[in-house]
PDB file of all heavy atoms in Angstrom:
ATOM      1  N   GLN G 430     -39.698 -18.568  36.533  1.00 78.00           N
ATOM      2  CA  GLN G 430     -39.106 -18.794  37.843  1.00 78.00           C
ATOM      3  C   GLN G 430     -40.012 -18.240  38.950  1.00 78.00           C
ATOM      4  O   GLN G 430     -40.145 -18.844  40.014  1.00 78.00           O
ATOM      5  CB  GLN G 430     -37.727 -18.142  37.898  1.00 78.00           C
ATOM      6  CG  GLN G 430     -36.941 -18.465  39.170  1.00 78.00           C
ATOM      7  CD  GLN G 430     -35.567 -17.874  39.126  1.00 78.00           C
ATOM      8  OE1 GLN G 430     -35.252 -17.181  38.176  1.00 78.00           O
ATOM      9  NE2 GLN G 430     -34.770 -18.151  40.127  1.00 78.00           N
ATOM     10  N   GLN G 431     -40.651 -17.090  38.685  1.00 81.00           N
ATOM     11  CA  GLN G 431     -41.583 -16.537  39.690  1.00 81.00           C
ATOM     12  C   GLN G 431     -42.791 -17.459  39.860  1.00 81.00           C
ATOM     13  O   GLN G 431     -43.277 -17.648  40.981  1.00 81.00           O
ATOM     14  CB  GLN G 431     -42.038 -15.150  39.220  1.00 81.00           C
ATOM     15  CG  GLN G 431     -40.937 -14.092  39.289  1.00 81.00           C
ATOM     16  CD  GLN G 431     -41.398 -12.761  38.758  1.00 81.00           C
ATOM     17  OE1 GLN G 431     -42.560 -12.639  38.304  1.00 81.00           O
ATOM     18  NE2 GLN G 431     -40.504 -11.768  38.799  1.00 81.00           N
ATOM     19  N   ALA G 432     -43.273 -18.037  38.731  1.00 79.00           N
ATOM     20  CA  ALA G 432     -44.368 -19.009  38.861  1.00 79.00           C
ATOM     21  C   ALA G 432     -43.935 -20.199  39.704  1.00 79.00           C
ATOM     22  O   ALA G 432     -44.680 -20.707  40.562  1.00 79.00           O
ATOM     23  CB  ALA G 432     -44.827 -19.466  37.478  1.00 79.00           C
ATOM     24  N   GLY G 433     -42.683 -20.643  39.455  1.00 77.00           N
ATOM     25  CA  GLY G 433     -42.154 -21.740  40.275  1.00 77.00           C
ATOM     26  C   GLY G 433     -42.071 -21.338  41.750  1.00 77.00           C
ATOM     27  O   GLY G 433     -42.305 -22.163  42.638  1.00 77.00           O
ATOM     28  N   GLU G 434     -41.706 -20.050  41.978  1.00 79.00           N
ATOM     29  CA  GLU G 434     -41.645 -19.610  43.366  1.00 79.00           C
ATOM     30  C   GLU G 434     -43.041 -19.599  43.994  1.00 79.00           C
ATOM     31  O   GLU G 434     -43.205 -19.932  45.179  1.00 79.00           O
ATOM     32  CB  GLU G 434     -41.032 -18.211  43.409  1.00 79.00           C
ATOM     33  CG  GLU G 434     -39.533 -18.203  43.069  1.00 79.00           C
ATOM     34  CD  GLU G 434     -38.977 -16.803  43.064  1.00 79.00           C
ATOM     35  OE1 GLU G 434     -39.799 -15.856  43.220  1.00 79.00           O
ATOM     36  OE2 GLU G 434     -37.744 -16.652  42.887  1.00 79.00           O
ATOM     37  N   ARG G 435     -44.064 -19.210  43.182  1.00 80.00           N
ATOM     38  CA  ARG G 435     -45.435 -19.289  43.708  1.00 80.00           C
ATOM     39  C   ARG G 435     -45.830 -20.722  44.045  1.00 80.00           C
ATOM     40  O   ARG G 435     -46.431 -20.999  45.092  1.00 80.00           O
ATOM     41  CB  ARG G 435     -46.407 -18.680  42.694  1.00 80.00           C
ATOM     42  CG  ARG G 435     -46.344 -17.157  42.598  1.00 80.00           C
ATOM     43  CD  ARG G 435     -47.558 -16.621  41.877  1.00 80.00           C
ATOM     44  NE  ARG G 435     -47.584 -17.082  40.500  1.00 80.00           N
ATOM     45  CZ  ARG G 435     -47.034 -16.447  39.482  1.00 80.00           C
ATOM     46  NH1 ARG G 435     -46.370 -15.326  39.692  1.00 80.00           N
ATOM     47  NH2 ARG G 435     -47.127 -16.937  38.262  1.00 80.00           N
ATOM     48  N   ASN G 436     -45.459 -21.644  43.153  1.00 76.00           N
ATOM     49  CA  ASN G 436     -45.735 -23.065  43.447  1.00 76.00           C
ATOM     50  C   ASN G 436     -45.003 -23.492  44.703  1.00 76.00           C
ATOM     51  O   ASN G 436     -45.503 -24.282  45.509  1.00 76.00           O
ATOM     52  CB  ASN G 436     -45.322 -23.931  42.258  1.00 76.00           C
ATOM     53  CG  ASN G 436     -46.214 -23.691  41.056  1.00 76.00           C
ATOM     54  OD1 ASN G 436     -47.377 -23.323  41.208  1.00 76.00           O
ATOM     55  ND2 ASN G 436     -45.657 -23.887  39.864  1.00 76.00           N
ATOM     56  N   LEU G 437     -43.806 -22.971  44.863  1.00 77.00           N
ATOM     57  CA  LEU G 437     -43.046 -23.309  46.054  1.00 77.00           C
ATOM     58  C   LEU G 437     -43.729 -22.768  47.310  1.00 77.00           C
ATOM     59  O   LEU G 437     -43.739 -23.439  48.348  1.00 77.00           O
ATOM     60  CB  LEU G 437     -41.639 -22.730  45.922  1.00 77.00           C
ATOM     61  CG  LEU G 437     -40.645 -23.076  47.026  1.00 77.00           C
ATOM     62  CD1 LEU G 437     -40.446 -24.582  47.088  1.00 77.00           C
ATOM     63  CD2 LEU G 437     -39.311 -22.376  46.799  1.00 77.00           C
ATOM     64  N   SER G 438     -44.339 -21.550  47.192  1.00 78.00           N
ATOM     65  CA  SER G 438     -45.062 -21.018  48.353  1.00 78.00           C
ATOM     66  C   SER G 438     -46.288 -21.885  48.673  1.00 78.00           C
ATOM     67  O   SER G 438     -46.597 -22.133  49.850  1.00 78.00           O
ATOM     68  CB  SER G 438     -45.479 -19.585  48.078  1.00 78.00           C
ATOM     69  OG  SER G 438     -46.374 -19.530  46.994  1.00 78.00           O
ATOM     70  N   LEU G 439     -46.986 -22.353  47.605  1.00 79.00           N
ATOM     71  CA  LEU G 439     -48.107 -23.271  47.827  1.00 79.00           C
ATOM     72  C   LEU G 439     -47.639 -24.539  48.518  1.00 79.00           C
ATOM     73  O   LEU G 439     -48.297 -25.079  49.421  1.00 79.00           O
ATOM     74  CB  LEU G 439     -48.791 -23.601  46.500  1.00 79.00           C
ATOM     75  CG  LEU G 439     -49.521 -22.433  45.811  1.00 79.00           C
ATOM     76  CD1 LEU G 439     -50.057 -22.875  44.468  1.00 79.00           C
ATOM     77  CD2 LEU G 439     -50.665 -21.916  46.696  1.00 79.00           C
ATOM     78  N   ARG G 440     -46.481 -25.014  48.079  1.00 75.00           N
ATOM     79  CA  ARG G 440     -45.924 -26.220  48.705  1.00 75.00           C
ATOM     80  C   ARG G 440     -45.629 -25.966  50.175  1.00 75.00           C
ATOM     81  O   ARG G 440     -45.883 -26.804  51.044  1.00 75.00           O
ATOM     82  CB  ARG G 440     -44.659 -26.647  47.964  1.00 75.00           C
ATOM     83  CG  ARG G 440     -43.972 -27.833  48.591  1.00 75.00           C
ATOM     84  CD  ARG G 440     -42.631 -28.075  47.950  1.00 75.00           C
ATOM     85  NE  ARG G 440     -41.918 -29.124  48.646  1.00 75.00           N
ATOM     86  CZ  ARG G 440     -40.658 -29.451  48.407  1.00 75.00           C
ATOM     87  NH1 ARG G 440     -39.987 -28.814  47.487  1.00 75.00           N
ATOM     88  NH2 ARG G 440     -40.093 -30.426  49.087  1.00 75.00           N
ATOM     89  N   GLU G 441     -45.076 -24.752  50.429  1.00 80.00           N
ATOM     90  CA  GLU G 441     -44.778 -24.448  51.829  1.00 80.00           C
ATOM     91  C   GLU G 441     -46.057 -24.378  52.656  1.00 80.00           C
ATOM     92  O   GLU G 441     -46.102 -24.853  53.806  1.00 80.00           O
ATOM     93  CB  GLU G 441     -44.022 -23.112  51.887  1.00 80.00           C
ATOM     94  CG  GLU G 441     -42.608 -23.202  51.314  1.00 80.00           C
ATOM     95  CD  GLU G 441     -41.923 -21.848  51.318  1.00 80.00           C
ATOM     96  OE1 GLU G 441     -42.614 -20.863  51.643  1.00 80.00           O
ATOM     97  OE2 GLU G 441     -40.723 -21.785  50.977  1.00 80.00           O
ATOM     98  N   GLU G 442     -47.166 -23.807  52.071  1.00 80.00           N
ATOM     99  CA  GLU G 442     -48.427 -23.773  52.799  1.00 80.00           C
ATOM    100  C   GLU G 442     -48.962 -25.185  53.060  1.00 80.00           C
ATOM    101  O   GLU G 442     -49.454 -25.497  54.159  1.00 80.00           O
ATOM    102  CB  GLU G 442     -49.450 -22.974  51.990  1.00 80.00           C
ATOM    103  CG  GLU G 442     -49.141 -21.476  51.916  1.00 80.00           C
ATOM    104  CD  GLU G 442     -50.155 -20.749  51.070  1.00 80.00           C
ATOM    105  OE1 GLU G 442     -51.059 -21.431  50.547  1.00 80.00           O
ATOM    106  OE2 GLU G 442     -50.021 -19.515  50.926  1.00 80.00           O
ATOM    107  N   ALA G 443     -48.849 -26.048  52.022  1.00 76.00           N
ATOM    108  CA  ALA G 443     -49.269 -27.453  52.226  1.00 76.00           C
ATOM    109  C   ALA G 443     -48.446 -28.111  53.305  1.00 76.00           C
ATOM    110  O   ALA G 443     -48.951 -28.897  54.127  1.00 76.00           O
ATOM    111  CB  ALA G 443     -49.165 -28.211  50.903  1.00 76.00           C
ATOM    112  N   GLU G 444     -47.114 -27.809  53.276  1.00 76.00           N
ATOM    113  CA  GLU G 444     -46.255 -28.380  54.313  1.00 76.00           C
ATOM    114  C   GLU G 444     -46.662 -27.854  55.685  1.00 76.00           C
ATOM    115  O   GLU G 444     -46.655 -28.593  56.680  1.00 76.00           O
ATOM    116  CB  GLU G 444     -44.794 -28.031  54.014  1.00 76.00           C
ATOM    117  CG  GLU G 444     -44.234 -28.815  52.841  1.00 76.00           C
ATOM    118  CD  GLU G 444     -42.797 -28.427  52.566  1.00 76.00           C
ATOM    119  OE1 GLU G 444     -42.329 -27.443  53.201  1.00 76.00           O
ATOM    120  OE2 GLU G 444     -42.151 -29.079  51.726  1.00 76.00           O
TER     121      GLU G 444
END
Side-chain angles (χ1 to χ4, degrees):
Q430 187 176 4
Q431 290 177 359
E434 290 178 354
R435 287 195 296 270
N436 292 332
L437 185 61
S438 63
L439 293 176
R440 177 189 174 188
E441 290 177 353
E442 291 178 359
E444 288 179 351

